[in-house]
Amino acid sequence: MYLSRFLSLHALWVTVSSVMQHYPSVWGHYDVCKTQIYTEEGKVWDYMACQPEARDMIKYVKVTLDPPDITCGDPPETFCAMGNPYMCNNECDANTQELAHPPELMFDLEGRHPSTFWQSTTWKDYPKPLHVNITLSWNKTIELTDNIVITFESGRPDQMILEKSLDYGRTWQPYQYYATDCLDAFHMDPKSVRDLSQHTVLEIICTEEYSTGYMTNSKIIHFEIKDRFAFFAGPRLHNMASLYGQLDTTKKLRDFFTITDLRIRLLRPATGEIYVDEQHLARYFYAISDIRVFGRCKCNLHATGCKEENKRLLCECEHNTTGPDCGKCKKNYQGRPWSPGSYLPIPKGTANICIPSISSIGNPPKFDRIWPNISSLEVSKPNQVAPKLAMSTVSSVQVANHKRANVCDNELLHCQNGGTCINNVRCQCPPAYTGILCEKLKCERDPGGCSQNSGQGAISHRPLLLLTALLGATGLRIC
């Protein structure tokens, strides 16, 4: 009997030892990832949470127009000059390269003379509205890192809406309204981003700042990403750690800067005056010479690279994760629920690495043969890496108040450094950590500070705690 128990215990200890090899020396902290930050010297690399480098996302975009026949030139038509709206002898002809203005000219290299641009048909069907939807799709979740910039070759439209989608175009939400008269066009008071604050940064505004008609040097429309970042990172974006901390703990803020698609809804072309000149409708059309969208692949802080494969962007996932956004654990690495990486604690963050399932490491003895009273160890899933050890109970008031905001969960507000979320109301922290999300080392409060090995105590004791649980279940003791 003793020999049988010993062999069972030995097999389990081999399993536990194999699992523990996959835990980092410092629980979950990044040690190979880096990201770009802003300093007095400009952009530099610093070690932080894993995320791909920001890039020009227009290189990977697919564009569609609605209606599909809205591009000028089929059949050929004349339109008025950009600078002089009464010189109407210019021609758009889709069958002549020099006179064609297809959609891809919104994304070609600029700097050539004359400039290249996409152009719509003229407002020949007035008073029927001249509506155009330009949809930019990436087939990938991306996080915006710089202003969206749209350069018009015609006058900037009198009315326009910029929209975003987070579900590949199935649903849309407004990003910003643009109009020469916001109250008349959209029943909104005009605002600019400068009128916002940290508390109102997610407000959808209508701005009149970018909607003048025919004017020299007035061709550009912005959606200001950096000005919104500045509410958290400072006017010159020097405190990116503060911004990252906000993005990590505020899902709505993070989602605000995340897209899968953009849609530019052109609702009324530039008229330059209150009334439309029906005798010269060839003056009115849309023309766009350039669109710029800078961002990075969203990889849930589990990748430093993003590659193009079969005309699709894919994260080069690390930390035993997989999927286009590194949004799940690999097979045989589901020892605990998947969780995105974290920027916290600043500056190194927490990787939240997927760990092996026990079932993937050899063939350990069945739990019910060794732990007949397994419920006493609070094992909720047989494929967990280890049974949960007894923890203090949550107060009945906290349990009853189920409508309160979550302090922690498995989607975003995850407990750091190996902490456990208790009923979404508090984190049970390892001995070496403290804080709402177990993001702080206890030794930081001591006069002597933290030694080099601080933060590893909770990790180093895990195998011993687990072995103690195993021994207690088998009736053996460590002397």
Side-chain angles (χ1 to χ4, degrees):
M1 183 178 68
Y2 289 105
L3 179 60
S4 175
R5 284 189 176 184
F6 176 79
L7 293 175
S8 297
L9 180 58
H10 179 266
L12 273 177
W13 178 244
V14 170
T15 298
V16 173
S17 300
S18 300
V19 171
M20 295 309 297
Q21 290 175 6
H22 295 267
Y23 284 81
S25 58
V26 177
W27 185 262
H29 283 197
Y30 296 106
D31 55 1
V32 295
C33 298
K34 58 183 181 178
T35 189
Q36 281 187 325
I37 62 171
Y38 293 86
T39 68
E40 293 287 349
E41 291 75 31
K43 289 190 294 185
V44 298
W45 286 102
D46 188 27
Y47 287 91
M48 210 171 193
C50 287
Q51 54 187 6
E53 183 180 359
R55 63 176 81 177
D56 181 1
M57 284 294 170
I58 287 299
K59 297 178 181 178
Y60 312 99
V61 76
K62 175 185 176 183
V63 61
T64 55
L65 300 183
D66 182 31
D69 59 350
I70 197 65
T71 300
C72 69
D74 188 16
E77 62 178 307
T78 57
F79 61 94
C80 302
M82 306 293 181
N84 187 341
Y86 293 98
M87 290 183 60
C88 301
N89 56 356
N90 293 277
E91 187 176 4
C92 179
D93 184 353
N95 296 317
T96 305
Q97 184 176 358
E98 293 78 10
L99 302 176
H101 298 284
E104 53 265 29
L105 295 184
M106 286 187 276
F107 312 112
D108 64 334
L109 294 174
E110 291 302 307
R112 289 179 287 172
H113 298 282
S115 60
T116 56
F117 51 90
W118 163 81
Q119 183 173 313
S120 74
T121 59
T122 59
W123 206 358
K124 55 191 174 185
D125 292 331
Y126 179 86
K128 180 181 177 181
L130 183 60
H131 289 176
V132 181
N133 287 342
I134 302 172
T135 303
L136 311 179
S137 303
W138 283 271
N139 198 24
K140 173 77 180 75
T141 311
I142 65 175
E143 297 170 329
L144 300 173
T145 59
D146 207 336
N147 294 353
I148 298 170
V149 182
I150 306 169
T151 304
F152 283 84
E153 196 65 22
S154 62
R156 296 181 291 194
D158 284 354
Q159 296 176 17
M160 183 189 111
I161 307 175
L162 181 65
E163 297 178 325
K164 61 169 284 189
S165 176
L166 259 173
D167 54 12
Y168 304 95
R170 287 187 287 273
T171 60
W172 295 91
Q173 303 86 41
Y175 236 168
Q176 191 152 293
Y177 296 86
Y178 302 81
T180 53
D181 188 332
C182 286
L183 197 58
D184 178 65
F186 301 115
H187 309 290
M188 300 172 69
D189 292 325
K191 284 187 178 181
S192 71
V193 174
R194 293 181 293 276
D195 298 320
L196 301 178
S197 67
Q198 279 192 12
H199 302 293
T200 60
V201 68
L202 303 183
E203 181 181 347
I204 308 303
I205 65 173
C206 178
T207 181
E208 298 175 356
E209 187 174 354
Y210 301 109
S211 301
T212 53
Y214 286 98
M215 290 180 61
T216 306
N217 300 323
S218 297
K219 296 182 176 183
I220 295 176
I221 282 180
H222 282 263
F223 179 73
E224 300 93 339
I225 296 292
K226 283 190 171 181
D227 286 350
R228 288 172 168 84
F229 284 169
F231 290 124
F232 305 98
R236 298 182 67 182
L237 304 183
H238 286 165
N239 189 8
M240 292 299 286
S242 174
L243 172 64
Y244 287 147
Q246 291 291 334
L247 293 173
D248 201 276
T249 56
T250 311
K251 186 176 187 298
K252 287 185 178 180
L253 181 65
R254 185 182 64 188
D255 285 350
F256 184 81
F257 299 110
T258 304
I259 62 171
T260 58
D261 306 77
L262 283 173
R263 184 162 68 185
I264 303 165
R265 294 182 58 196
L266 305 173
L267 303 179
R268 181 182 172 91
T271 59
E273 61 270 324
I274 298 176
Y275 301 103
V276 173
D277 183 356
E278 297 185 41
Q279 303 302 314
H280 297 88
L281 293 177
R283 295 171 53 190
Y284 310 119
F285 53 88
Y286 307 107
I288 296 177
S289 61
D290 191 41
I291 300 177
R292 296 185 183 182
V293 180
F294 280 85
R296 61 169 56 94
C297 294
K298 179 184 177 181
C299 301
N300 286 295
L301 303 185
H302 286 309
T304 54
C306 189
K307 62 183 178 181
E308 186 177 16
E309 189 173 288
N310 297 325
K311 297 184 178 180
R312 183 179 182 183
L313 287 170
L314 296 172
C315 297
E316 298 181 86
C317 299
E318 302 176 30
H319 306 154
N320 303 319
T321 61
T322 187
D325 300 343
C326 306
K328 60 182 180 180
C329 293
K330 288 181 178 179
K331 184 180 179 181
N332 298 329
Y333 284 89
Q334 298 167 347
R336 64 179 176 187
W338 174 91
S339 181
S342 172
Y343 292 109
L344 299 175
I346 299 296
K348 300 302 182 185
T350 308
N352 292 323
I353 296 171
C354 288
I355 59 178
S357 311
I358 282 186
S359 59
S360 68
I361 306 175
N363 294 302
K366 291 185 178 180
F367 287 117
D368 56 1
R369 294 180 183 175
I370 309 173
W371 288 317
N373 190 19
I374 201 167
S375 60
S376 65
L377 291 175
E378 298 188 334
V379 175
S380 57
K381 295 180 182 179
N383 66 340
Q384 281 183 308
V385 169
K388 303 177 190 174
L389 301 180
M391 295 174 287
S392 58
T393 57
V394 182
S395 70
S396 57
V397 176
Q398 289 176 314
V399 174
N401 189 13
H402 63 279
K403 293 184 179 180
R404 63 176 291 174
N406 288 354
V407 171
C408 55
D409 55 47
N410 287 328
E411 179 186 4
L412 177 64
L413 300 174
H414 39 271
C415 302
Q416 309 298 317
N417 300 303
T420 304
C421 185
I422 308 298
N423 292 336
N424 299 119
V425 296
R426 69 184 182 90
C427 289
Q428 176 78 23
C429 300
Y433 290 90
T434 186
I436 295 176
L437 296 176
C438 306
E439 74 277 12
K440 300 177 182 177
L441 284 166
K442 285 185 178 178
C443 59
E444 291 177 350
R445 300 180 300 183
D446 299 336
C450 298
S451 65
Q452 184 176 2
N453 295 323
S454 296
Q456 298 184 23
I459 307 308
S460 61
H461 293 303
R462 288 176 183 268
L464 182 57
L465 288 172
L466 182 53
L467 179 58
T468 303
L470 301 181
L471 289 171
T474 56
L476 299 176
R477 294 184 299 172
I478 295 180
C479 297

